Structures are given as C-alpha cells and as structure tokens.
Amino acid sequence: MRNHFAYYGVCAAVFFGGAVIAAVCAFSLPELNEKELALYFGDFFTNFVQTGADSQAVLLSVLKSNAALFAVLALCSTMVIGAPLIAVVGLCRGFAFGFTAAFLFKTYGLRTLLFLLGAVLPHALITLPCEFVL
C-alpha cells in the first residue's frame, strides 16, 4: 500500500471532487426539477415500505452492474490510456454518491442520515476500496 499511496490519494481526491461538484449541483437545482426528484424519492420510499424488495433481484442487479464496472476498471488499469478513464469512473461514482446524499439532506434533513448509514455507507465501504485497488 505504501508504494501506491499516491494513486489511492488521487483516486480518493477525484471521488470526493465529484461529490463536491454533485453537492453544488444538488443545492442549485431548479425548483421544478427538485420537486420532481423529491416526488420520485417519495414514491420510491413509499413503494419500498408497502411492497418491500425482492432481495434476490436486487442482489443479481448489483452483481451484474459491479461485475461490468470491475471489468472496465480492470481493463483500464492495465493500459496507460486507461488512467484517465479510471479518473472519470471515480468522478462519476463520487458525483452519484454526492448528489444522492446532498439532495436527500436538502429534502429530508437529518432523517437522511439513517438512510445513508443503513443503505449507502455499507455499500460504499465495500465498493470504494475495491475500486481504489483496481
């Protein structure tokens, strides 16, 4: 890890840079788009509470998407030209995480903390180190 600490730092900086850009975007979202997205999240949470989720379908979907991402990152890590692509993937992942967190905090306040701790953080604790290593 000591030999590649600079690479991990760059990956982390790109990820958090994407998260900061996303937070700025989330807090400057036009009111109409904000209401539409808030309705979407409200419907999602209501539907989840009423019907639950098919855990097997969710697991298969996550495995497929992460396997594809793993393949792309593994391929990019073996090519010189792949380094910028890895940065782009990190920026996009940071943007997705940051936008979700910032928008939910803006919309639901501190109740978002429970959602982030229960759903987003465990996922990030597993995937982020794997992506950094790749």
Side-chain angles (χ1 to χ4, degrees), residues 77-128:
S77 68
T78 62
M79 301 181 302
V80 173
I81 197 167
L85 297 176
I86 291 173
V88 168
V89 168
L91 188 72
C92 291
R93 298 286 290 200
F95 188 89
F97 176 78
F99 188 86
T100 302
F103 181 78
L104 288 175
F105 268 114
K106 181 180 178 184
T107 304
Y108 296 108
L110 286 178
R111 293 184 294 171
T112 301
L113 199 55
L114 181 62
F115 175 72
L116 291 177
L117 290 175
V120 178
L121 186 63
H123 174 74
L125 287 175
I126 294 170
T127 60
L128 288 179

Side-chain angles (χ1 to χ4, degrees), residues 26-46:
F27 283 103
S28 64
L29 205 61
E31 186 177 345
L32 181 61
N33 293 354
E34 182 181 335
K35 287 182 181 182
E36 183 179 356
L37 198 53
L39 283 173
Y40 171 79
F41 272 109
D43 288 345
F44 170 78
F45 290 131
T46 301

Side-chain angles (χ1 to χ4, degrees), residues 1-2 4-13 129 132-134:
M1 284 185 66
R2 288 184 184 139
H4 300 294
F5 188 74
Y7 298 124
Y8 300 144
V10 169
C11 288
F132 286 171
V133 168
L134 277 174

Side-chain angles (χ1 to χ4, degrees), residues 44-74:
F44 170 78
F45 290 131
T46 301
N47 187 33
F48 184 76
V49 167
Q50 292 175 350
T51 62
D54 181 11
S55 58
Q56 184 178 7
V58 171
L59 178 66
L60 289 176
S61 173
V62 168
L63 285 176
K64 286 179 187 176
S65 65
N66 281 331
L69 181 64
F70 178 83
V72 168
L73 288 175

